[in-house]
């Protein structure tokens, strides 16, 4: 077994959990209570254990830890049709919230709850035979997902130095902004992701918003954005869960995608992007699928494509896909992509026989592109404007985060952006 | 790892999990959860997994404060167990921090005159001794000594142990005269203890410590005699292995 433990932190992290687990349940032929429905693809897949722990009455319990400093989102999950799904011993809800303040999530409130979270994680890890790693979903702009998320990443790395930590980190956007201090929270969190994670898929709300608006033909809501994230997370792990000719695990992704230490910030794309319920309506041929998968407008972060190069890329196709056709098409696409001159390899390919529910076939691209520096530079600029005017920093100082700490994080992220620019 | 501790840990983990579910549904059951967590933490410590033991004790510490009326004895106990863990882990600063916090709780809650507090003071003194803070070590040993004397009378094994510890402290600081006085007082008590209370290993250790003191004073004949007595007691123990004394309830320093 190569199990994966998902850790969902904060409001955004748990909203993603809601969409993600719904999708995973359907993919594995399970009902919202974790019992097999007899429908779906259970018979096809041999690796239920990756995401689920089977308990005595035949129920499959997600290997998931849900954490929040305010009860709202988790309470909604528990009050909905998945009320019987999660193990109550794996849910950590604490009040009061982090009030959008990284420092409260990291220090004040975080300190009171981090050991409980680690104990719950340890207990979940003890139920695995050979844990592959962790998926962490959170936003880096809020208080809980960013501050407490950072603390969890630090403790996780210290406790499990050899396990892969893969984050799905939602970056704040100017279009959909909840709070003025998001750039502070984001910069402080990015520093911890750089130091403690093996790979981070940057999910820029701005980019997700425009994908959703373009592909769904209506004004998207957070559920639509989270559905895109769920499809990406599902595909990243698909070849571990479903049979396929080329298996790609988290470790292989990391080896192929991260050419320099610390430069592990990725962006992803899922195709074909359709509104929920409309997936099967358009049957897409492979060349179109491959093109859409690598369409710049389809990636989840606002990458500066024009001023950067590809450092690496992985593609995973699911469903009705012929390997020969995939290889030929991807070789063509590879020629069109602007790779760094010192990267001789092609695009690493993986296949899984089972497509996400409702799709005949699908494509996932995970890429490391130096244009991601634009995301960091945008946040650093927003950070500087406030920081130089001492705006809002007192909230952080009151909760144990000094201006020096903030400046250090800013420096780390600015250097990260520069290292990406230098690699171009 | 030995399989019996493995199975104990397995069942303690399941109990914690069940207690977590119960406390999640009904916060009034946090007290039960804290007790289960403490049991698991103790096993983790015995297993040598200090990181997990620390997380468990620290969770217990915060959980116990979530209760409307925290049980002071339980709160003090967890502080002291966490301090003991840090001590075993070699993290002296944290160990003293949590023992000091435990003492503060005891004072605030009127529990300062108990054997738990005396034990904490003895343990704390040992750590200060290892940190070369002789002044604090001596003060806490004396406070522990007074408390044990008040609780047990002058002639108990606990009183003898603190005399022994004070002797070791003075010896380490080259105060041979006072070291000798302390070890002689420990010896007198230990010799006169009723059979059931007398631990031959303790007695032999006192002879060894005293032997070291005599050697330092230049009285080699007495030193040799003490060492001989210690050897004779040990040989009479027939391979008897003393029970481990570094228990959370009472830490006694027997090293010379």
């Amino acid at each position: 077994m190569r199990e994966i433990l998902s850790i969902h932190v904060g409001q955004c992290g748990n909203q993603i959990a809601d969409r993600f687990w719904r999708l995973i349940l359907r993919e594995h032929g399970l009902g919202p209570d974790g019992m097999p429905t007899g429908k779906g693809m259970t018979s096809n897949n041999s690796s239920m254990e990756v995401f689920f722990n089977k308990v005595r009455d035949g129920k499959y319990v997600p290997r998931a830890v849900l954490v929040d400093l305010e009860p709202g989102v988790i309470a909604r999950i528990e009050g909905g049709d998945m009320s019987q799904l999660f193990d109550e011993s794996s849910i950590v809800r604490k009040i009061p919230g982090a009030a959008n303040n990284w420092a409260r999530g990291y220090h004040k409130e975080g300190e009171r709850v981090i050991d409980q979270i680690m104990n719950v994680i340890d207990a979940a890890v003890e139920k695995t035979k050979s844990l592959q790693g962790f998926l962490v979903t959170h936003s880096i702009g809020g208080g809980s997902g960013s501050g407490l998320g950072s603390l969890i990443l630090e403790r996780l790395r210290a406790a499990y130095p050899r396990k892969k930590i893969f984050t799905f980190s939602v970056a704040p956007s100017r279009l959909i902004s909840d709070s003025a201090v998001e750039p502070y929270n984001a910069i402080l969190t990015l520093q911890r992701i750089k130091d403690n994670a093996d790979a981070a898929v940057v999910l820029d709300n701005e980019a997700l918003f425009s994908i959703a608006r373009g592909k769904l033909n209506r004004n998207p809501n957070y559920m639509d954005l989270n559905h895109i994230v769920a499809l990406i997370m599902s595909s990243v792990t698909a070849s571990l869960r479903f049979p396929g000719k080329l298996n790609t695990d988290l470790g292989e992704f990391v080896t192929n995608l991260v050419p320099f230490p610390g430069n592990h910030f990725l962006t992803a794309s899922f195709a074909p992007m359709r509104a929920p319920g409309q997936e099967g309506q358009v049957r897409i041929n492979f060349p179109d699928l491959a093109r859409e998968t690598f369409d710049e407008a389809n990636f989840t972060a606002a990458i500066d494509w024009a001023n950067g190069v590809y450092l690496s890329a992985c593609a995973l196709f699911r469903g009705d896909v012929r390997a020969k056709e995939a290889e030929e098409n991807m070789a063509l696409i590879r020629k069109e992509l602007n790779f760094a001159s010192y990267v001789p390899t092609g695009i690493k390919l993986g296949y899984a026989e089972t497509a996400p529910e409702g799709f005949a076939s699908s494509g996932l691209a995970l890429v490391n592109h130096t244009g991601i520096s634009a995301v960091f530079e945008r946040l650093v600029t927003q950070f500087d404007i406030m920081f130089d005017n001492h705006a809002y920093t007192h909230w952080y100082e009151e909760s144990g985060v000094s201006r020096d700490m903030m400046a250090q994080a800013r420096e780390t992220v600015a250097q990260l952006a520069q290292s990406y620019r230098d690699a171009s | 790892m030995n399989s019996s501790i493995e199975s104990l840990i397995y069942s303690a983990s399941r109990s914690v999990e069940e207690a977590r579910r119960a406390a999640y549904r009904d916060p009034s059951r946090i007290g039960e959860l804290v007790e289960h967590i403490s049991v698991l933490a103790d096993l983790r410590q015995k297993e040598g997994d200090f990181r997990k033991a620390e997380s468990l004790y620290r969770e217990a510490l915060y959980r116990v404060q979530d209760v409307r009326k925290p049980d002071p004895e339980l709160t003090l106990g967890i502080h002291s167990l966490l301090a003991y863990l840090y001590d075993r882990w070699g993290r002296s600063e944290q160990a003293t921090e949590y023992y000091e916090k435990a003492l503060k709780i005891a004072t605030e809650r009127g529990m300062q005159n108990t054997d738990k507090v005396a034990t904490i003071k003895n343990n704390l003194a040992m750590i200060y001794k290892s940190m070369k803070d002789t002044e604090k070590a001596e003060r806490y040993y004396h406070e522990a000594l007074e408390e044990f004397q008040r609780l047990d009378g002058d002639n108990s094994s606990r009183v003898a142990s603190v005399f022994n510890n004070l002797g070791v402290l003075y010896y380490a600081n080259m105060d041979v005269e006072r070291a000798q006085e302390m070890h002689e007082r420990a010896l007198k008590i230990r010799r006169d203890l009723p059979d059931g209370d007398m631990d031959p290993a303790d007695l032999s250790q006192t002879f060894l410590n005293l032997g070291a003191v005599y050697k330092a004073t230049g009285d080699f004949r007495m030193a040799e005699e003490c060492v001989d007595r210690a050897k004779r007691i040990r040989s009479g123990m027939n391979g008897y292995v003393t029970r481990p004394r570094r228990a959370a309830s009472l830490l006694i320093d027997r090293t010379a």
Side-chain angles (χ1 to χ4, degrees):
Chain A
M1 287 312 138
R2 301 282 283 147
E3 302 93 339
I4 294 174
L5 179 64
S6 301
I7 303 168
H8 308 285
V9 193
Q11 188 175 331
C12 174
N14 282 289
Q15 279 168 342
I16 293 173
D18 182 284
R19 306 312 302 176
F20 173 67
W21 285 104
R22 273 173 209 284
L23 187 70
I24 297 297
L25 287 170
R26 287 202 302 274
E27 286 193 3
H28 286 276
L30 299 172
D33 56 357
M35 296 299 284
T37 55
K39 293 186 283 184
M41 300 159 253
T42 325
S43 56
N44 279 346
N45 71 64
S46 51
S47 302
M48 299 284 278
E49 296 286 313
V50 172
F51 272 143
F52 296 96
N53 180 34
K54 191 178 183 181
V55 294
R56 247 171 295 166
D57 54 1
K59 178 183 164 176
Y60 288 89
V61 179
R63 297 187 193 279
V65 175
L66 311 184
V67 180
D68 205 354
L69 292 176
E70 48 202 8
V73 177
I74 294 179
R76 274 198 292 283
I77 294 174
E78 289 185 301
D81 55 349
M82 294 196 292
S83 61
Q84 302 300 309
L85 182 65
F86 295 100
D87 181 350
E88 287 170 328
S89 73
S90 297
I91 300 176
V92 180
R93 283 194 302 181
K94 282 276 161 166
I95 40 174
N100 271 322
N101 181 344
W102 187 92
R104 283 176 63 106
Y106 183 78
H107 274 309
K108 217 171 170 181
E109 307 304 332
E111 194 189 324
R112 295 182 62 81
V113 78
I114 186 63
D115 293 291
Q116 183 184 345
I117 295 167
M118 287 309 294
N119 293 335
V120 167
I121 291 172
D122 288 338
V125 171
E126 280 156 24
K127 286 182 188 153
T128 65
K129 291 194 179 78
S130 171
L131 180 80
Q132 178 173 173
F134 304 93
L135 300 184
V136 179
T137 67
H138 64 148
S139 99
I140 62 173
S144 309
S146 71
L148 182 56
S150 294
L151 185 57
I152 292 172
L153 284 175
E154 283 179 357
R155 292 283 294 265
L156 211 50
R157 174 49 75 225
Y160 298 98
R162 286 164 199 273
K163 301 297 177 193
K164 295 287 175 252
I165 302 177
F166 228 88
T167 75
F168 289 82
S169 305
V170 178
S173 105
R174 275 169 301 181
L175 290 178
I176 329 168
S177 178
D178 283 338
S179 124
V181 291
E182 283 179 344
Y184 286 160
N185 298 336
I187 294 287
L188 286 157
T189 310
L190 284 170
Q191 183 189 28
R192 271 73 191 178
I193 294 177
K194 178 183 172 289
D195 292 345
N196 299 291
D198 292 287
V201 179
V202 178
L203 304 155
D204 188 323
N205 261 341
E206 218 159 307
L208 287 170
F209 204 76
S210 89
I211 297 170
R213 199 165 33 198
K215 296 285 160 60
L216 307 181
N217 298 319
R218 60 178 163 81
N219 258 344
N221 54 30
Y222 271 119
M223 281 216 308
D224 294 322
L225 305 192
N226 291 333
H227 186 66
I228 299 173
V229 180
L231 284 167
I232 290 167
M233 288 175 66
S234 153
S235 287
V236 168
T237 56
S239 71
L240 297 161
R241 297 179 288 128
F242 301 108
K245 291 197 183 69
L246 272 177
N247 283 327
T248 314
D249 68 12
L250 294 186
E252 280 184 53
F253 275 133
V254 171
T255 307
N256 284 283
L257 286 167
V258 184
F260 309 112
N263 286 31
H264 53 236
F265 291 83
L266 315 173
T267 181
S269 155
F270 179 85
M273 190 54 68
R274 301 287 179 269
Q278 295 177 356
E279 300 94 339
Q281 290 182 4
V282 184
R283 196 173 173 83
I284 191 165
N285 65 39
F286 187 81
D288 287 345
L289 177 69
R291 293 222 165 269
E292 192 180 331
T293 305
F294 277 86
D295 181 354
E296 290 175 359
N298 211 30
F299 279 89
T300 59
I303 300 285
D304 179 5
W305 298 102
N307 295 306
V309 292
Y310 276 85
L311 294 177
S312 53
C314 288
L316 189 126
F317 293 101
R318 300 177 63 179
D320 186 14
V321 172
R322 283 191 299 276
K324 190 164 179 284
E325 194 181 12
E327 278 155 26
E328 284 170 5
N329 276 279
M330 291 314 295
L332 287 174
I333 286 178
R334 164 72 173 87
K335 281 185 191 159
E336 290 169 18
L337 300 178
N338 185 17
F339 265 81
S341 55
Y342 49 85
V343 177
T345 53
I347 295 168
K348 182 171 171 61
L349 286 176
Y351 306 101
E353 283 172 12
T354 315
E357 201 211 21
F359 291 88
S361 58
S362 72
L364 164 85
L366 264 186
V367 312
N368 198 345
H369 192 281
T370 60
I372 202 158
S373 53
V375 175
F376 304 138
E377 285 158 1
R378 187 188 80 210
L379 289 166
V380 167
T381 305
Q382 292 171 339
F383 179 100
D384 287 348
I385 293 168
M386 291 196 297
F387 192 73
D388 293 346
N389 289 292
H390 289 248
Y392 297 109
T393 50
H394 66 290
W395 294 117
Y396 292 74
E397 289 174 285
E398 274 175 21
S399 296
V401 172
S402 65
R403 281 181 60 90
D404 279 353
M405 255 178 100
M406 296 175 80
Q408 200 186 9
R410 184 253 181 233
E411 209 40 49
T412 303
V413 177
Q415 277 173 14
L416 178 66
Q418 190 55 47
S419 72
Y420 268 113
R421 289 285 180 210
D422 292 347
S424 294
Chain B
M1 197 193 346
N2 119 17
S3 65
S4 72
I5 196 160
E6 214 168 77
S7 65
L8 285 172
I9 285 174
Y10 179 81
S11 60
S13 299
R14 296 292 81 78
S15 304
V16 167
E17 222 171 275
E18 271 310 313
R20 267 191 209 292
R21 291 187 192 110
Y24 188 77
R25 287 187 286 261
D26 177 5
S28 72
R29 296 181 67 181
I30 283 179
E32 284 166 55
L33 171 62
V34 169
E35 279 170 30
H36 284 294
I37 288 175
S38 298
V39 171
L40 181 58
D42 183 45
L43 290 166
R44 286 289 182 209
Q45 177 174 295
K46 288 194 174 108
E47 177 200 28
D49 194 333
F50 292 153
R51 201 264 306 164
K52 284 186 182 168
E54 180 196 23
S55 262
L56 288 160
Y57 279 134
R58 288 181 60 96
E59 179 186 354
L61 208 63
Y62 285 112
R63 284 293 186 111
V64 84
Q65 289 163 23
D66 285 345
V67 184
R68 198 169 297 163
K69 279 186 184 168
D71 175 349
E73 207 161 322
L74 190 58
T75 313
L76 183 141
I78 294 167
H79 275 88
S80 145
L81 288 164
L82 182 59
Y84 174 68
L85 171 77
Y86 284 132
D87 183 22
R88 280 202 61 196
W89 205 349
R91 298 185 173 191
S92 304
E93 302 257 339
Q94 282 165 297
T96 55
E97 179 191 337
Y98 280 90
Y99 273 137
E100 295 280 13
K101 280 182 180 173
L103 290 180
K104 191 163 173 266
I105 294 167
T107 311
E108 285 166 0
R109 298 306 184 99
M111 293 184 293
Q112 59 270 52
N113 300 322
T114 58
D115 57 351
K116 266 191 187 155
V117 168
T119 305
I120 289 172
K121 286 179 173 171
N122 176 72
N123 296 357
L124 196 47
M126 286 173 62
I127 301 168
Y128 280 126
K129 190 196 93 184
S130 70
M131 293 167 80
K132 313 277 181 223
D133 188 338
T134 308
E135 197 184 314
K136 277 189 184 162
E138 187 179 6
R139 176 159 60 84
Y140 278 121
Y141 274 140
H142 276 292
E143 287 179 20
L145 183 64
E146 272 173 38
E147 198 50 43
F148 281 133
Q149 282 173 324
R150 195 185 62 78
L151 291 163
D152 300 352
D154 284 340
N155 298 315
S156 80
S157 63
R158 296 197 292 194
V159 170
S161 293
V162 185
F163 274 128
N164 176 77
N165 295 349
L166 269 167
V168 173
L169 176 73
Y170 290 137
Y171 180 83
N173 285 295
M174 315 295 281
D175 186 347
V176 180
E177 203 174 304
R178 278 205 287 178
Q180 183 176 344
E181 183 195 339
M182 294 300 123
H183 284 308
E184 275 171 354
R185 292 180 78 165
L187 180 63
K188 183 176 180 313
I189 298 170
R190 283 179 169 166
R191 270 174 148 169
D192 296 345
L193 281 172
D195 279 353
D197 292 347
M198 207 273 284
D199 184 340
D202 281 346
L203 188 60
S204 115
Q205 189 63 52
T206 300
F207 275 118
L208 281 180
N209 292 344
L210 210 46
V213 170
Y214 282 126
K215 191 177 164 197
T217 60
D219 190 343
F220 297 110
R221 193 188 57 77
M222 280 297 284
E224 203 177 338
E225 195 177 308
C226 283
V227 172
D228 278 348
R229 295 285 294 272
K231 277 186 187 164
R232 276 205 297 281
I233 295 168
R234 296 236 160 154
S235 67
M237 283 157 62
N238 293 330
Y240 159 74
V241 180
T242 53
R243 61 186 183 276
R245 276 296 198 78
R246 292 183 69 86
S249 57
L250 189 61
L251 283 177
I252 300 298
D253 188 344
R254 293 186 300 179
T255 53

